[in-house]
Amino acid sequence: MGDAALQGYTAFTAEDAIEAGRRLLRSGPARVKEVCARASLGQTVVENDAQLVAVIEQQDPRVLADFGIVIEENLVDPETYSVGSLSVAGLEISYVGDQRETTDHKNRAVYGGSRLRSVRGGLDRLTHLGLDAEAVEAIRCAAVFDDAARRAYPSMVLTRRNYDVIAGRDSRGQRRVGVLEQSWRVGGATGAEIAALEAFARSPELTSVSTATVEVYGIAETPQDAVIYFKGTDPVVGPMTKYATRTA
């Protein structure tokens, strides 16, 4: 994997998680991430041994044994890129974009949607978009991770391959870019991906398209051309509006 992912560990016992965290703390703050959490929740930055132990001791040992917990180096001033590919009904597209944060009903910073630029073909086609250096590096990291995953699981059929790639400053103040995780299922950016697929399917001459998904914690007005995926009261998080739209 090389430098395509952040330095970190996955542990399945409290003892191993604490040891992993201590190794990372030698270089600076570490981020503890609950594997089953979503929407940017379930994450805690620890700066010393006492904080690390306190967070790990709060974890359910059975959940740790079944799913594990991630401890990785922490980056500040982060920006998260979405990089991925889809292959549906003979049409292959790839995309790069960024994610936005919003505030949920408990005033927590959570995932608020993705803005994507999509092209026909594989990840290598994204380099023709004239992107800035950091976005190009995010694509490179995703491609390295994607290649490693496909070599590790050669028989797996993946119609959606999505990677969250973070860029930020490490404890030494250096800018770092690395893959956070893969998503091979329906995810937050799926609405924008479908909008891109539909645009390419309708217009054979189209070479690139920009689309977006938006998640609002509340009942919000939507653009006239938006495809609304949900607008109502979720029994867990409360009132929400989720939609996708083509932006260019």
Side-chain angles (χ1 to χ4, degrees):
M1 196 74 69
D3 62 351
L6 298 184
Q7 183 181 3
Y9 303 89
T10 301
F12 293 86
T13 67
E15 294 78 10
D16 286 350
I18 291 171
E19 173 59 25
R22 284 171 174 164
R23 294 183 184 184
L24 290 172
L25 285 173
R26 295 169 189 165
S27 301
R31 182 176 293 267
V32 181
K33 299 166 66 174
E34 298 174 16
V35 173
C36 295
R38 56 185 178 178
S40 301
L41 298 175
Q43 303 186 28
T44 305
V45 176
V46 296
E47 298 182 349
N48 55 54
D49 191 81
Q51 292 176 352
L52 170 67
V53 172
V55 171
I56 299 303
E57 286 183 344
Q58 294 173 4
Q59 307 303 313
D60 185 329
R62 292 169 298 180
V63 175
L64 274 180
D66 288 342
F67 301 104
I69 195 165
V70 171
I71 308 97
E72 66 189 16
E73 62 177 311
N74 183 58
L75 300 184
V76 297
D77 298 328
E79 180 175 0
T80 305
Y81 292 89
S82 294
V83 183
S85 291
L86 291 91
S87 181
V88 178
L91 177 60
E92 181 183 16
I93 70 169
S94 294
Y95 59 82
V96 60
D98 57 10
Q99 299 180 12
R100 60 180 290 270
E101 283 191 343
T102 190
T103 303
D104 69 6
H105 294 297
K106 296 181 179 179
N107 289 320
R108 299 174 297 185
V110 296
Y111 173 78
S114 298
R115 298 178 298 180
L116 307 181
R117 293 183 66 187
S118 301
V119 298
R120 297 179 186 271
L123 292 175
D124 60 304
R125 302 299 300 171
L126 293 170
T127 57
H128 299 283
L129 289 175
L131 304 168
D132 61 47
E134 193 164 87
V136 172
E137 177 64 6
I139 295 167
R140 183 195 71 82
C141 291
V144 170
F145 195 105
D146 183 66
D147 180 66
R150 298 179 78 173
R151 284 189 284 108
Y153 304 102
S155 62
M156 184 177 293
V157 177
L158 298 172
T159 57
R160 179 186 193 253
R161 310 192 315 275
N162 171 272
Y163 303 96
D164 287 348
V165 185
I166 191 171
R169 290 186 293 107
D170 63 17
S171 59
R172 299 179 299 276
Q174 297 177 341
R175 196 73 177 169
R176 289 285 314 281
V177 180
V179 175
L180 288 175
E181 61 183 358
Q182 85 284 350
S183 174
W184 297 335
R185 52 164 175 72
V186 171
T190 296
E193 297 165 3
I194 293 173
L197 282 169
E198 291 175 337
F200 284 124
R202 285 194 302 265
S203 304
E205 75 284 356
L206 191 65
T207 58
S208 66
V209 65
S210 296
T211 56
T213 54
V214 178
E215 299 191 7
V216 180
Y217 284 77
I219 305 302
E221 295 296 322
T222 58
Q224 187 173 2
D225 63 344
V227 176
I228 300 172
Y229 286 93
F230 183 82
K231 191 172 187 178
T233 300
D234 182 275
V236 176
V237 302
M240 282 203 74
T241 304
K242 295 186 177 185
Y243 64 91
T245 184
R246 178 176 174 179
T247 57

